Amino acid sequence: MQRFITLLLFLFAFGSLISAQQLSDDQVIQYVKEAQRQGKTQKQMTTELAAKGVTAEQVERIKSKYQNQQQQEDKKNNFSFSSRQRKQGVETPLATQDKRKATTGADAEEGEELLTEQNKDTELPENQIFGHNIFTNSNLTFEPNVNMATPTNYKLGPGDEVIIDVWGVSENSIRQTISPEGSILVSNIGPVYLSGMTVKEANSYLQREFAKIYSGIAGARPSSQVKLTLGQIRSIQISIMGEVTVPGTYTLSSFSSVFHALYRAGGVNRIGSLRSIKVVRSGRTVADLDVYDFILKGKMKDDVRLQEGDVIIVNPYDCLVKITGKAKRPMFYEMKNTESISTLLKYAGGFAGDAYKKAVRLIRKSGQEHQVFNIDEMDYSVFKLADGDQVMVDSVLERFENRVEIKGAVFRPGLYQVDGDVNTVKRLIQKAEGLRGDAFMNRAVIYRENEDLSREVLQVNLRALMQGTLPDIPLQRNDVLYIAGLTDLKEEGTLTIHGEVGAPGTYLYADNMSVEDLILQAGGLLEAASTARIDVTRRIKDPKNAQYNKTVGKTFSFEFKDGYLVGDSAFFQLKPFDEVYVRRSPAYRTQQNVSVNGEVLFAGTYALSKKNERLSDLIGKAGGVTPDAYVKGARLIRKMTEEEHKRQEDLLKLAQKSGKDSIAADVLEAPDTYVVGIDLQKALGRPNSSDDLVLREGDVLFVPEFINTVKISGEVMYPNTVLYQKDKGLKYYLEQAGGYSEKAKKRSAYVVHLNGTVAQLKGNSANDIEPGSEIVIPTKEEGKKMTLAQTISIGTSIASLASVITSLIYLLK
């Protein structure tokens, strides 16, 4: 596979060698269809498409077109699936989860459509009908409890298993199922008919019957007892008709109630009534249930137990009313014709906290036009509702009846009520705990809203008002009193400190603050700080001057000793927006370390003693080199400074902007170190010369052992490492590597020495090749070549073409 992709890259890189007419998008698709029909492999199709001039851009275009079509198909399929899922959502919970048995037909299909229509409204709670989801809640099935004690009013019938226990002087146990004829067979008695009796009645009847064969059961003080209990209960068949989701005949437990039957039928549909659910038994209505009594009051007394042959009838609703707006539970409610707005509000949970409660608005469809009714609070209990009414509850107005507000330089600003105690400016200030010390006494402002909603501003001489020389000013609703503070009327002053302190930055100004105070607040002087000179710069401020001034600022310089300014400057006070500069001492130096490793007597880390310390000085500190040292091959590794890092990043950015090979520039990372080409042999021979390099912090000098090999790499037949021969030149070492390869750039061969220096090999090269060197033969350029970015882009597109072909065939079928 790798060889195949390499072949494709080669075809596109040298596209000028292929003389073929480029195919259109439609022709590519037609070719794919025909190739698929002929049974060609993806590899064959990809190779032929590349040979026909299909470019990477064309592949991406076809791929994008395919993906857009596929997304449209997915949306269509998802819509169809969602529609089927909504439709099946009616059947699955009812048929699988509830395990009911119901007749199917036109009624069932109609119920499914109604439930599907009802489910559309689940996204908008205000469009739901209150209570309609009670019989579709999987956590509320109303399933009967078969483990409860036998109810005494339970009527026995065919299929019920009865257990008759006799204990005392006589003991016996009978376990039988009531036959379809309604009887059980008891030895020595014969058929005993129990069908239609309640458990209580059956126990009394058996007491009399068993007294015929057990003498101890009868009498005032019986010596034996007899009792009937239920074992396995029977199933009954009932019918559910009318406005339910799936009407039909259902087989249920004989303990089942009306609510469980309605749950099995999927609940009522959109027009079904919850307020009048009838149970018909033998042609007579035996119960009329109101589900709202259970939902709102928890009453279960009307949830009657069903019997064989019962029919549950759900009629359409009589009156459906919608309440919107600021009710706690806005939605549709089923109302009885006798119920009023007061009852509707109770069903809706009452008014919300921000509701306007004194009146509601009602829209009614009169049969010809719409009518609007404004119902006052006193008429809520007498105004009767009709089908289709819509009640709207408004919200309270966004305004206050009795509000005034005080802001600014008082101890408790905020909202206050206008009443007998707070009705003037002076009383409002007293209610707000009085004025702060920074209150601006010359002027306060009242922002007033008039009855026509226009606004005006009233100025108050606050000093005269508080001294009593000015009459108190009455307040009106929605007045806002603003008392400015002195700190609010001027820019907040700050001080800034720079340089050698613990926490340089900006600090708040305070009166009588000195330079010493600011330095102390900033964490004190650092060890590197200079006490001989501390500068303070100050703004030029002259608000009354109307002429241009070229002076930018003033500078003051001070000497610092033992935490205090020296001389006449001892009483210097800072002013707002002053900036203090703590300089670094010119005599302060931190330790600067360099390292020497390899063939020296005392390898390790050494501190520089002076700024211009050199290689020879470092070797001297390390005790000199060992006899095994190859001094000429020593190399120096230097740590890149921040400035050099910045210069390297700028070069990378220029490489990216050039556009020649952006990918290479992206992945290239600037190293933290680099090799400096040195000649330690000359440096030791001539100390302090130009060959004796000046060291800097972080330098690492490595003195290797003698290496008597030479490495040959690059465009040679067999890259190799061979023994060094003193008088041998480039030709000799090339022979050791099998000679040049076809791509070798012969005239550009160069050698990299062990100490990091590089030399080009020309003419007599024997002197340029040293022990430990590496000879490199570069690759020659072959005409105009594609950039790395173009090659990778085409390779990615062609590699993805094979995976797209099958999808295209499937899409175009």
Side-chain angles (χ1 to χ4, degrees):
M1 184 64 185
Q2 184 65 32
R3 293 178 60 190
F4 170 61
I5 294 176
T6 304
L7 175 61
L8 292 178
L9 290 174
F10 179 82
L11 289 173
F12 275 88
F14 301 94
S16 60
L17 301 178
I18 301 175
S19 57
Q21 184 178 359
Q22 184 174 350
L23 300 178
S24 66
D25 293 352
D26 292 337
Q27 288 175 330
V28 171
I29 295 175
Q30 292 298 326
Y31 165 80
V32 170
K33 293 172 64 177
E34 181 64 23
Q36 180 74 10
R37 187 184 64 79
Q38 295 175 3
K40 293 184 179 180
T41 64
Q42 292 183 359
K43 180 177 179 180
Q44 291 173 331
M45 286 188 281
T46 305
T47 304
E48 292 178 4
L49 284 174
K52 291 178 181 293
V54 177
T55 63
E57 292 78 7
Q58 189 174 10
V59 172
E60 290 296 332
R61 185 170 63 249
I62 297 174
K63 184 178 178 182
S64 177
K65 185 187 298 184
Y66 157 72
Q67 290 175 343
N68 292 336
Q69 294 180 6
Q70 189 64 41
Q71 289 176 358
Q72 294 177 0
E73 289 292 327
D74 290 343
K75 289 181 180 179
K76 182 178 179 180
N77 293 336
N78 289 337
F79 176 78
S80 301
F81 174 75
S82 300
S83 301
R84 293 195 303 271
Q85 192 178 39
R86 286 196 299 269
K87 187 173 182 180
Q88 293 171 356
V90 179
E91 300 173 2
T92 302
L94 301 179
T96 303
Q97 181 180 345
D98 298 337
K99 301 178 182 178
R100 65 167 179 243
K101 299 177 181 178
T103 57
T104 59
D107 291 339
E109 293 178 359
E110 181 183 358
E112 290 178 0
E113 293 174 359
L114 289 171
L115 186 59
T116 302
E117 183 68 25
Q118 182 178 351
N119 287 342
K120 293 179 181 178
D121 296 330
T122 57
E123 298 178 0
L124 301 173
E126 65 271 14
N127 289 333
Q128 294 181 7
I129 301 175
F130 180 71
H132 271 218
N133 61 348
I134 188 173
F135 297 117
T136 58
N137 187 346
S138 60
N139 297 321
L140 194 63
T141 65
F142 302 99
E143 189 172 356
N145 183 8
V146 295
N147 296 322
M148 66 180 183
T150 304
T152 57
N153 61 349
Y154 177 78
K155 285 192 175 183
L156 301 174
D160 282 335
E161 182 186 41
V162 295
I163 304 171
I164 304 172
D165 292 314
V166 180
W167 72 94
V169 175
S170 300
E171 292 189 358
N172 194 7
S173 180
I174 301 173
R175 191 183 188 102
Q176 288 193 28
T177 301
I178 299 176
S179 68
E181 289 78 17
S183 64
I184 61 173
L185 187 62
V186 179
S187 300
N188 300 322
I189 295 180
V192 177
Y193 291 91
L194 300 176
S195 181
M197 295 184 182
T198 65
V199 172
K200 183 177 181 180
E201 293 170 347
N203 272 299
S204 300
Y205 176 67
L206 291 175
Q207 193 85 13
R208 297 191 300 271
E209 291 295 316
F210 274 65
K212 297 177 181 178
I213 58 175
Y214 297 106
S215 60
I217 292 179
R221 301 180 63 181
S223 59
S224 297
Q225 300 289 333
V226 61
K227 185 175 182 180
L228 178 144
T229 57
L230 277 177
Q232 295 291 333
I233 59 175
R234 72 183 187 276
S235 297
I236 60 174
Q237 279 193 341
I238 58 97
S239 297
I240 306 176
M241 308 303 292
E243 305 303 330
V244 293
T245 301
V246 184
T249 301
Y250 292 83
T251 300
L252 306 174
S253 165
S254 57
F255 278 3
S256 296
S257 65
V258 176
F259 283 1
H260 178 60
L262 289 173
Y263 175 82
R264 294 289 296 275
V268 300
N269 60 27
R270 182 75 178 176
I271 64 172
S273 172
L274 293 176
R275 308 300 306 275
S276 180
I277 299 174
K278 294 180 172 57
V279 180
V280 178
R281 184 173 299 159
S282 301
R284 185 172 59 90
T285 300
V286 296
D288 192 349
L289 281 67
D290 187 346
V291 180
Y292 277 20
D293 285 343
F294 168 71
I295 298 174
L296 298 171
K297 302 176 184 178
K299 293 183 178 180
M300 293 286 290
K301 62 181 182 64
D302 291 335
D303 189 15
V304 299
R305 185 176 294 110
L306 296 172
Q307 295 184 16
E308 179 70 29
D310 282 354
V311 179
I312 299 173
I313 299 176
V314 179
N315 292 317
Y317 63 80
D318 289 332
C319 177
L320 194 63
V321 178
K322 185 178 184 180
I323 184 170
T324 60
K326 296 301 178 177
K328 290 182 178 177
R329 192 167 48 232
M331 59 195 315
F332 281 97
Y333 291 87
E334 184 184 347
M335 308 294 294
K336 295 182 178 179
N337 291 326
T338 58
E339 291 178 332
S340 62
I341 290 180
S342 178
T343 307
L344 174 63
L345 290 171
K346 181 175 64 174
Y347 290 163
F351 290 108
D354 57 344
Y356 178 65
K357 303 176 182 179
K358 296 186 179 297
V360 296
R361 187 181 300 107
L362 185 142
I363 305 296
R364 175 169 291 174
K365 303 176 182 68
S366 62
Q368 183 176 1
E369 295 178 332
H370 287 76
Q371 294 177 320
V372 177
F373 296 90
N374 295 312
I375 299 101
D376 294 331
E377 186 178 14
M378 64 181 65
D379 297 328
Y380 288 170
S381 59
V382 297
F383 192 95
K384 304 302 180 184
L385 295 169
D387 185 30
D389 284 353
Q390 182 173 347
V391 178
M392 289 171 283
V393 181
D394 292 332
S395 59
V396 296
L397 298 177
E398 291 293 332
R399 66 178 185 177
F400 290 85
E401 297 178 357
N402 59 347
R403 179 199 69 171
V404 290
E405 184 177 2
I406 184 169
K407 298 179 179 180
V410 293
F411 287 101
R412 292 190 180 276
L415 302 178
Y416 291 88
Q417 66 180 39
V418 179
D419 54 17
D421 293 333
V422 180
N423 55 11
T424 64
V425 171
K426 195 170 184 178
R427 288 186 178 183
L428 177 59
I429 294 174
Q430 293 171 352
K431 193 72 173 179
E433 302 292 342
L435 299 170
R436 292 202 316 250
D438 64 334
F440 182 63
M441 302 297 292
N442 293 339
R443 177 185 289 254
V445 178
I446 298 176
Y447 298 96
R448 175 162 293 173
E449 182 181 271
N450 297 318
E451 292 298 328
D452 60 356
L453 300 183
S454 63
R455 301 181 66 85
E456 65 174 329
V457 177
L458 305 179
Q459 293 79 25
V460 180
N461 187 336
L462 191 59
R463 190 187 308 277
L465 180 68
M466 299 306 292
Q467 291 176 353
T469 59
L470 180 71
D472 205 355
I473 301 175
L475 293 173
Q476 296 182 10
R477 184 183 70 176
N478 293 328
D479 278 355
V480 179
L481 174 62
Y482 174 66
I483 301 172
L486 294 176
T487 55
D488 300 331
L489 299 178
K490 62 181 180 180
E491 187 178 359
E492 186 177 36
T494 59
L495 297 170
T496 304
I497 186 168
H498 308 270
E500 302 299 322
V501 291
T506 302
Y507 297 86
L508 289 176
Y509 169 80
D511 291 337
N512 302 322
M513 197 169 188
S514 65
V515 176
E516 298 95 320
D517 298 331
L518 180 59
I519 291 175
L520 185 64
Q521 190 173 0
L525 297 176
L526 298 180
E527 186 181 34
S530 172
T531 59
R533 178 181 171 183
I534 294 178
D535 296 333
V536 178
T537 62
R538 179 165 293 169
R539 294 181 179 180
I540 301 297
K541 294 177 287 186
D542 189 1
K544 297 183 180 180
N545 192 355
Q547 297 181 354
Y548 177 75
N549 190 354
K550 292 184 178 181
T551 304
V552 177
K554 287 184 179 180
T555 301
F556 307 89
S557 296
F558 307 104
E559 185 180 352
F560 205 70
K561 183 178 181 181
D562 298 330
Y564 296 96
L565 299 182
V566 177
D568 297 337
S569 59
F571 302 101
F572 183 82
Q573 300 293 325
L574 295 173
K575 291 185 178 181
F577 308 109
D578 280 356
E579 298 197 17
V580 179
Y581 301 86
V582 180
R583 310 295 180 184
R584 187 181 182 89
S585 174
Y588 182 80
R589 293 287 185 273
T590 59
Q591 294 87 343
Q592 297 182 4
N593 297 321
V594 294
S595 299
V596 57
N597 299 314
E599 294 302 316
V600 292
L601 291 179
F602 299 100
T605 301
Y606 293 87
L608 296 177
S609 303
K610 53 186 178 180
K611 290 197 67 176
N612 58 348
E613 193 162 324
R614 298 175 181 267
L615 288 172
S616 58
D617 298 326
L618 178 59
I619 294 296
K621 288 182 178 181
V625 297
T626 66
D628 297 328
Y630 180 43
V631 178
K632 196 171 184 179
R635 62 181 177 272
L636 181 72
I637 300 174
R638 176 156 288 179
K639 187 177 181 181
M640 190 174 287
T641 63
E642 184 177 350
E643 181 182 354
E644 290 171 335
H645 266 296
K646 181 65 171 59
R647 189 160 56 246
Q648 186 74 13
E649 290 174 0
D650 292 341
L651 290 174
L652 289 177
K653 290 178 181 177
L654 287 174
Q656 292 174 357
K657 290 180 180 179
S658 67
K660 292 183 178 180
D661 201 348
S662 60
I663 293 181
D666 288 340
V667 299
L668 183 60
E669 295 182 359
D672 292 331
T673 60
Y674 58 93
V675 177
V676 179
I678 62 172
D679 192 335
L680 183 60
Q681 187 175 17
K682 291 182 180 181
L684 295 178
R686 293 185 298 171
N688 297 323
S689 66
S690 59
D691 293 316
D692 196 5
L693 185 71
V694 176
L695 300 173
R696 75 183 190 193
E697 184 180 11
D699 283 351
V700 178
L701 176 63
F702 180 74
V703 183
E705 290 183 312
F706 180 74
I707 301 175
N708 63 341
T709 59
V710 174
K711 184 178 180 182
I712 308 98
S713 62
E715 293 299 333
V716 292
M717 298 302 294
Y718 184 76
N720 199 1
T721 301
V722 300
L723 289 174
Y724 170 73
Q725 299 295 331
K726 184 176 182 180
D727 297 325
K728 299 297 183 180
L730 175 61
K731 182 178 180 181
Y732 167 76
Y733 292 105
L734 284 173
E735 291 175 353
Q736 304 303 311
Y740 293 111
S741 69
E742 293 181 358
K743 298 180 180 180
K745 193 174 184 181
K746 301 177 182 180
R747 296 184 180 182
S748 300
Y750 59 91
V751 60
V752 180
H753 297 300
L754 198 60
N755 64 355
T757 60
V758 180
Q760 191 171 4
L761 297 176
K762 291 184 178 179
N764 185 12
S765 57
N767 295 330
D768 294 328
I769 301 175
E770 299 175 351
S773 299
E774 180 180 359
I775 300 172
V776 180
I777 310 299
T779 304
K780 65 182 178 181
E781 297 181 1
E782 299 182 2
K784 185 177 180 181
K785 299 180 66 176
M786 299 176 67
T787 65
L788 179 60
Q790 292 172 331
T791 304
I792 292 178
S793 175
I794 292 178
T796 304
S797 299
I798 293 301
S800 64
L801 179 61
S803 61
V804 172
I805 287 177
T806 304
S807 300
L808 283 172
I809 293 297
Y810 173 77
L811 180 66
L812 297 170
K813 282 184 177 180

